Amino acid sequence: MGSVSAQPMPLILQSLNEWKFCSLLMLFIKNFTLVRMAGLLQRKELLVGKRPTEFLCVGPSFEENPSDIVLIIPGNPGVIGYYTSFMKTIYVTLKGTHAVWAVSHAGHCCTTYSTSQFGKDVYDLKDQVRHKIDFIRDFVPKGAKVTLVGHSIGCQITLNVLQAFEDSTDISIKKSYLLFPTIERMKDSPNGTRLWPVLCYFRWLTILMAIIVSFIPQKLKESLLNLYFGRKAHEHVIKASIELMNPKIIQNVLWMAYNELNEVCMPNVKALEKHKDELLLYYGTNDGWCPMSYYRDLIVKVKGVNAQVCQHGYAHAFVLESSVPMGEKVAHWMIS
């Protein structure tokens, strides 16, 4: 009897092993497919409200009408090539459930559009806010659920975008993550204090230097940037930095920075209060643009706001070295 009843056990174990193998194989294929898809980053040149714009996406683009979108609003410079690894990491960590988009700032890109159809090619902070509102209205599908990820001055723009779409029935902004938020007292911050004289009196000199650099051969630029960033620098960081050296982009970066320091004084408490249940603000422990005193002041001014302090030492310009862990962190916030 004992030998007869034991016979099915090897068959059961074999079936279990085959099931485990098939499950692992399917998981591997799914993850491999996601990684392959994340590698297929699309770049498009757009006119958004008649302004030259660079658009990047991982996953479905606007022509495919995705229903769930993560939209990244960059800092300054708004060269979105810097956000490539960050975007891919969010996409893969979310297992492809969301399209991940990033939109450059107007004029912070090299496109085939030499100037805007307004005849204008330099934009201030208000122009950039209007630009993001126009992008969402023109390119985000109606009924889509949107998660905004603002970085640095992109956080200030995000707060303005939230106010613009408060009563919209076409676009649903589910959550907004404000990373290293420069939303107040920029001119008084340590970096603002240092940069203000340059922005006031020497912008022309920086633009002149960019014009001179534009004559340096591409290979030499790459070598110098690799030397500056180190051998571990991601290829997209080098590529974005070369794009940043364009004199027109530098002109826009500096003018926007000058305008930011003048315009971003007091936090937008009205927007923070109204949307605090859908907001998460993430501060660095050693950030020259938004020091810890700003974090402490904010949680007093806006009771119950979800403001957190980075415990990992990530820099304000996290896209240079910490894109992957920051992308994972944002995705995990979305999942939890």
Side-chain angles (χ1 to χ4, degrees):
M1 290 289 293
S3 61
V4 173
S5 62
Q7 285 177 358
M9 289 304 296
L11 293 174
I12 293 171
L13 290 172
Q14 183 179 352
S15 297
L16 284 171
N17 288 332
E18 288 175 354
W19 178 82
K20 286 180 181 177
F21 174 77
C22 290
S23 297
L24 288 170
L25 181 62
M26 292 300 293
L27 183 63
F28 171 79
I29 291 171
K30 183 180 179 181
N31 288 336
F32 179 74
T33 303
L34 284 169
V35 172
R36 285 287 302 276
M37 289 172 70
L40 297 176
L41 180 138
Q42 299 180 61
R43 176 186 181 274
K44 299 178 188 291
E45 295 181 5
L46 309 174
L47 278 176
V48 176
K50 301 183 179 180
R51 305 170 185 90
T53 307
E54 183 179 14
F55 168 78
L56 296 182
C57 71
V58 185
S61 183
F62 47 81
E63 299 96 340
E64 300 162 83
N65 295 322
S67 57
D68 292 283
I69 300 165
V70 177
L71 176 60
I72 297 164
I73 299 177
N76 186 12
V79 179
I80 53 172
Y82 283 116
Y83 294 82
T84 301
S85 286
F86 182 60
M87 295 173 67
K88 291 180 179 180
T89 302
I90 293 174
Y91 182 80
V92 171
T93 308
L94 291 176
K95 302 187 185 303
T97 57
H98 291 63
V100 181
W101 295 1
V103 58
S104 74
H105 291 320
H108 291 221
C109 53
C110 296
T111 70
T112 52
Y113 303 108
S114 58
T115 187
S116 76
Q117 292 183 5
F118 289 129
K120 178 179 180 180
D121 54 10
V122 180
Y123 307 93
D124 60 21
L125 183 57
K126 288 180 181 176
D127 291 327
Q128 300 296 358
V129 170
R130 181 76 253 167
H131 174 257
K132 304 308 173 293
I133 293 170
D134 287 344
F135 173 82
I136 292 172
R137 284 185 175 151
D138 293 347
F139 292 95
V140 172
K142 289 184 178 180
K145 297 186 287 289
V146 181
T147 299
L148 297 177
V149 180
H151 173 217
S152 190
I153 194 61
C155 301
Q156 178 75 358
I157 295 172
T158 298
L159 291 175
N160 282 274
V161 168
L162 286 174
Q163 290 184 303
F165 288 96
E166 282 175 352
D167 301 319
S168 174
T169 56
D170 294 332
I171 303 296
S172 173
I173 299 176
K174 307 300 290 183
K175 198 82 175 180
S176 298
Y177 300 100
L178 309 185
L179 310 180
F180 308 94
T182 54
I183 58 173
E184 61 176 302
R185 294 175 283 175
M186 287 189 67
K187 191 175 178 180
D188 298 329
S189 68
N191 284 356
T193 302
R194 285 192 291 268
L195 196 59
W196 178 250
V198 176
L199 294 174
C200 273
Y201 308 113
F202 299 107
R203 286 201 310 272
W204 63 270
L205 182 59
T206 308
I207 296 167
L208 177 61
M209 290 173 64
I211 293 171
I212 294 169
V213 168
S214 67
F215 291 100
I216 297 176
Q218 180 89 351
K219 288 293 184 183
L220 182 55
K221 287 180 189 174
E222 291 176 3
S223 298
L224 291 172
L225 287 168
N226 276 305
L227 188 65
Y228 176 76
F229 286 115
R231 287 183 296 176
K232 293 183 179 179
H234 290 286
E235 184 181 347
H236 70 269
V237 171
I238 302 300
K239 186 177 178 181
S241 298
I242 290 173
E243 185 177 0
L244 175 60
M245 292 177 186
N246 182 290
K248 282 289 184 184
I249 295 179
I250 288 290
Q251 184 182 15
N252 262 293
V253 167
L254 295 177
W255 174 243
M256 183 177 171
Y258 173 77
N259 193 244
E260 289 169 33
L261 267 61
N262 276 315
E263 295 290 329
V264 183
C265 302
M266 300 305 294
N268 189 342
V269 174
K270 184 178 179 181
L272 290 165
E273 283 280 6
K274 184 161 188 176
H275 298 280
K276 65 182 177 183
D277 292 337
E278 298 90 45
L279 285 173
L280 189 154
L281 294 87
Y282 193 67
Y283 285 82
T285 52
N286 189 26
D287 191 332
W289 285 113
C290 37
M292 286 297 296
S293 60
Y294 289 13
Y295 158 78
R296 289 189 289 267
D297 291 346
L298 184 80
I299 59 176
V300 172
K301 289 175 184 172
V302 186
K303 299 292 185 184
V305 69
N306 187 2
Q308 300 182 16
V309 177
C310 174
Q311 302 298 322
H312 309 286
Y314 301 146
H316 184 92
F318 71 87
V319 291
L320 300 180
E321 295 183 351
S322 306
S323 287
V324 171
M326 278 304 302
E328 291 172 344
K329 184 172 286 293
V330 169
H332 289 146
W333 283 333
M334 291 177 63
I335 295 168
S336 62

